[in-house]
Amino acid sequence: MNALHTEIKKHLSPGEAVLWSGQPRQGLVVRGGDALLIPFSLMWGGFAIFWEATVLRSNAPVFFVLWGIPFVLVGLHLIIGRFFLEAKQRSRTFYAVTPERILIVSGIFRSSAKSLNLRTLSDLSLTEGKNNEGTIAFGGGSGSLFTSMFGGLGSWPGVGTYMGPRFELIANAKSVFKTIRDAQRAT
C-alpha cells in the first residue's frame, strides 16, 4: 500500500482502516478513443482557425470575428488542452478502499469526495490493460461504448456524470479488485 495521502486522510472516520490507497497513472495519456477524437479535433480546430483567419483578413463585421472565437477555443481544447486538463484532474484524484467503503477524492478547482458503501455495491467490473494496469468500475458503465470512446474526456464538464464512479488507470488493478471483493465478503 502507498503512503496515505492527506486528501484521503481528511475524509476518513476516526479509526477507519485503509486496505489500499492509490492514484491513477500520472502524466499525459493517449487512449483508444483518441483514434477518432484526434482526427475530429484536427478537422474542427483546423476549420475554426481557417474561418477565423479568413474573417480577419476580409475585414468582415465584428459579429463574424466574435462568432468564430468560441469555435477556435473549443478546437484548441479538443486538440491539445484536454490532454493537459485530464492529466491535472488525475494528479488531484485519490482512491482508497476501507473495510466499509470505496472512497474517491477528486477535483481540479475544489476537492469533492464520493463514498460507496461496500455492502450495497452490487456491480463491480475490472478492465485490465498491459502491465497490470486497469480500471475498476463501480455500478456498471465500464464496458459501455460511451466510456470506452470518451474516457479521456472525463475532465470535460458534465461528462464524468455519464461514466460512473471508478478507479481509473491504477497499477495492479487485479490485486485491488481482489482486495475490494475480499472486503465485500467480510462485511
Side-chain angles (χ1 to χ4, degrees):
M1 180 176 81
N2 317 10
L4 202 53
H5 194 274
T6 312
E7 286 298 316
I8 293 293
K9 286 181 184 177
K10 283 197 266 185
H11 296 281
L12 294 175
S13 301
E16 187 174 14
V18 174
L19 304 173
W20 175 86
S21 70
Q23 280 190 276
R25 179 178 1 139
Q26 301 299 296
L28 299 178
V29 175
V30 177
R31 301 166 189 264
D34 288 325
L36 292 174
L37 285 172
I38 289 173
F40 172 78
S41 68
L42 291 172
M43 287 189 312
W44 175 291
F47 179 77
I49 291 168
F50 170 76
W51 164 278
E52 197 65 21
T54 302
V55 167
L56 290 171
R57 271 190 254 118
S58 68
N59 294 322
V62 174
F63 172 78
F64 290 108
V65 173
L66 295 175
W67 179 261
I69 292 173
F71 293 95
V72 170
L73 293 175
V74 168
L76 292 174
H77 176 75
L78 288 173
I79 292 169
I80 193 75
R82 67 188 174 94
F83 292 107
F84 292 100
L85 189 62
E86 191 219 0
K88 184 72 158 176
Q89 173 82 26
R90 281 185 283 105
S91 75
R92 295 186 179 182
T93 299
F94 306 93
Y95 305 131
V97 178
T98 75
E100 296 86 28
R101 64 185 174 140
I102 301 292
L103 184 60
I104 302 171
V105 179
S106 185
I108 293 180
F109 301 110
R110 65 177 164 208
S111 180
S112 66
K114 180 146 190 89
S115 179
L116 305 168
N117 188 323
L118 285 176
R119 280 187 223 114
T120 59
L121 190 60
S122 61
D123 193 14
L124 196 64
S125 59
L126 168 67
T127 306
E128 258 190 310
K130 58 183 178 182
N131 302 326
N132 297 324
E133 184 179 84
T135 297
I136 301 171
F138 309 105
S142 73
S144 74
L145 179 62
F146 184 87
T147 303
S148 61
M149 296 256 327
F150 301 109
L153 289 177
S155 61
W156 192 272
V159 171
T161 306
Y162 296 103
M163 297 166 100
R166 64 196 187 283
F167 287 174
E168 186 176 39
L169 300 173
I170 57 171
N172 303 314
K174 190 180 250 182
S175 171
V176 176
F177 185 80
K178 183 182 179 321
T179 299
I180 295 167
R181 296 295 294 149
D182 291 346
Q184 278 186 312
R185 285 186 201 103
T187 58

